[in-house]
Amino acid sequence: MTETESSTMNRESAQTLVVHDKHDERHFGSVTTPLYQTSLFSFATYAEFDHAMESFTDQPVYSRGNNPTVQQLEQRLAQLQGGEKARCFASGMAAISTAVLSSVRQGDHIVCVNQVYGPARKLLEGFLTKMGIETTFVDGSSKQELQAAVRANTKLFYLESPTSLMMQLQDLKFCADLARSIGALTLIDNTWATPCLQNPFAYGIDLVVHSTSKFIGGHSDGIGGVIIGSAERIGQIDENEYLLLGGIMTPHTASLMMRGLRTLPLRMERFHESGLRVAGHLEGMPHVIKVHHPGLPSHPQHELAKAQMSGYGSLFAFELDLPVETVKRWADQLEYFRIGVSWGGYESLITVPSLPDGYESVTGVLVRMYIGLEDPQLLIGDIERAFKRLG
Ligand SMILES: *Cc1c(COP(=O)(O)O)cnc(C)c1O
C-alpha cells in the first residue's frame, strides 16, 4: 500500500490501536472487553444515580443509552477513523437513516450520487419524499453535475466513495468545499475503504458512516453500523435520533465487531493485494470487456483514487460479453466463490446484480466479485477453469 497525503493512520499504528487495551483492574486484567449482557445498571446511592442520569448516553444507566461493551467499540472506531466520537447502530442502514434524518428537515433538499448503495437510494427517493424532503441524484464523478444540482434549500450532500458496485469516486475535498460554501453538510458511506484506507475528515467531510457488517466485522457473523463525527454533531444525534428511534447495536454484536476490528488493518493489507491481483488478471481474460477497480490504471479515476486512499478494498465488478444465463452457469462452475450478497468476510463471493437507474454506461453483464482471504492464485485458477468448462 502507498502512503499518501490522505492522512489515514499508518498500518502499524492502526494495528497497535486495535489490539492494545490498557490493563483494567475492574476486569481482572481481562484481555477482551467483558460482554455486559444487561439492560440496566444500578446504583448504591441516589447521589450516584442522579449523577449518572446527567449523561445518559455517556455513562451506563440503560443499554439504549450506553453500554460499556458497545462504548469500547465506539471509542476504538472513532480513534481509528480520526473522528471525535462514534455511535454504533443495529445495522448500516440504521446508521445511514439516522445520520440522514439528523441532517435534514421538511422542505430541505439533498444531493446524492446516483450509484449509491441501493437501499440508501430507496430511503432518499421513496421514504423521505413522504416527509417533503427531495433528493437530486447526480453522476458523482462529475463536478459540474454536483454543482449544478445545488438549490437554495440544499442541506446535505450524500456521498459514497468508491461506490460499492461500480467503484465510482467523488473528489471529497471538492464536495466538502462546495457544501461548506452553501452551509450544507456532507455525509459519506465509507464502508468500502474502511477507516484504514480512507480518512474523509482530512478533506472536511462532516459525517462518516460504515456498515460494520462488512470488512470491520470481517467474519460474516453480525450486522451493524456506525456514525462517526464531531462530538457536537454526535451529541445532537445522541439526544434525538439515537435515543428516540432506538436502533442500537446489542452488546453481543459489539463484542463480535470488536473481535473483527482487532485484525482489520492486517486483513485490509491482504484484501488490498489479493483484490488487485485477481482484478488485474481478469483484465486479460476472454469475455471480459471491462474491470471496475479503482486500483487499476484503466480506471478513469485511478489518479484520484491514489490521492484519496492509501489502499483498496477487495470488492469490485467486471463486465462480460456473455448472455446473463451463461454468466450464471459460469458462476455455478466456480469452486471457491459462493453465490451470495454482502461481502467483507473471509469467504469469496459472487453475484450478478440487476441494475437500477444510473448504470446506463454498462454494456455487458455486470458481475460483482468479492475476494476473501483464500490464496489469490487458487481463485484465479478457479475463474479460468470455470470459463474453460463453458466451452
Ligand atoms: C451493506 C452496505 C450497507 C448497509 O449495511 P447493513 O449493515 O446491511 O444495513 C450500506 N452501504 C454499503 C456500501 C454496504 O455495502
Side-chain angles (χ1 to χ4, degrees), residues 51-90:
H51 177 70
M53 286 296 280
E54 282 168 19
S55 52
F56 196 78
T57 52
D58 287 319
Q59 293 194 49
V61 175
Y62 186 58
S63 284
R64 179 164 48 77
N66 178 293
N67 177 286
T69 312
V70 183
Q71 188 177 36
Q72 191 209 22
L73 176 68
E74 290 170 342
Q75 288 173 346
R76 214 50 71 88
L77 283 168
Q79 283 174 302
L80 192 64
Q81 185 64 92
E84 284 176 4
K85 217 168 167 195
R87 191 51 86 188
C88 284
F89 291 87

Side-chain angles (χ1 to χ4, degrees), residues 15 19 71 80 90 95 123 147 150 169 174 211 214 218 220 222 256 287 301 303 306 314 321 338 348 362 365 379 387:
Q15 188 56 54
V19 298
Q71 188 177 36
L80 192 64
L123 172 76
Q147 200 140 25
V150 170
L169 277 66
F174 172 83
S211 166
K214 313 293 165 56
S220 304
L256 289 172
H287 304 298
Q301 296 168 296
E303 291 307 317
K306 281 200 291 186
S314 57
D321 69 353
R338 298 180 191 221
S348 291
V362 176
V365 169
L379 298 178
F387 274 128

Side-chain angles (χ1 to χ4, degrees), residues 214-284:
K214 313 293 165 56
F215 284 130
I216 290 173
H219 294 72
S220 304
D221 56 4
I223 300 280
V226 65
I227 308 176
I228 308 167
S230 68
E232 188 192 350
R233 205 149 281 292
I234 299 294
Q236 287 165 3
I237 291 172
D238 280 351
E239 296 305 319
N240 294 288
E241 294 78 15
Y242 176 69
L243 281 181
L244 304 182
L245 301 179
I248 63 158
M249 178 180 280
T250 65
H252 183 240
T253 298
S255 110
L256 289 172
M257 294 300 165
M258 192 64 213
R259 187 201 44 191
L261 193 66
R262 303 278 189 194
T263 57
L264 180 68
L266 208 52
R267 285 185 288 113
M268 291 318 295
E269 278 184 52
R270 171 71 177 235
F271 290 134
H272 166 91
E273 270 154 32
S274 295
L276 269 179
R277 195 146 142 207
V278 178
H281 254 272
L282 270 161
E283 269 195 321

Side-chain angles (χ1 to χ4, degrees), residues 81-225:
Q81 185 64 92
E84 284 176 4
K85 217 168 167 195
R87 191 51 86 188
C88 284
F89 291 87
S91 65
M93 278 311 295
I96 286 169
S97 54
T98 296
V100 171
L101 287 171
S102 78
S103 307
V104 288
R105 60 173 62 214
Q106 189 178 19
D108 285 349
H109 172 247
I110 302 173
V111 177
C112 180
V113 298
N114 63 7
Q115 295 184 356
V116 70
Y117 178 68
R121 179 164 182 144
K122 278 196 183 151
L123 172 76
L124 300 179
E125 78 181 347
F127 196 85
L128 286 189
T129 51
K130 283 199 303 196
M131 300 172 187
I133 298 159
E134 269 189 70
T135 301
T136 305
F137 293 92
V138 300
D139 175 344
S141 67
S142 161
K143 290 180 179 171
Q144 288 81 353
E145 280 201 27
L146 283 158
Q147 200 140 25
V150 170
R151 297 186 194 165
N153 59 341
T154 302
K155 288 288 152 49
L156 179 68
F157 282 77
Y158 188 113
L159 312 173
E160 184 182 328
S161 183
T163 56
S164 56
L165 191 50
M166 296 279 278
M167 314 299 133
Q168 192 191 64
L169 277 66
Q170 297 99 58
D171 184 320
L172 300 188
K173 177 149 190 333
F174 172 83
C175 293
D177 288 348
L178 174 61
R180 192 145 300 162
S181 74
I182 58 159
L185 291 172
T186 41
L187 182 165
I188 186 172
D189 182 336
N190 203 29
T191 305
W192 189 88
T194 79
C196 296
L197 305 180
Q198 180 165 262
N199 178 10
F201 296 125
Y203 303 103
I205 300 291
D206 294 300
L207 287 172
V208 174
V209 298
H210 292 273
S211 166
T212 66
S213 323
K214 313 293 165 56
F215 284 130
I216 290 173
H219 294 72
S220 304
D221 56 4
I223 300 280

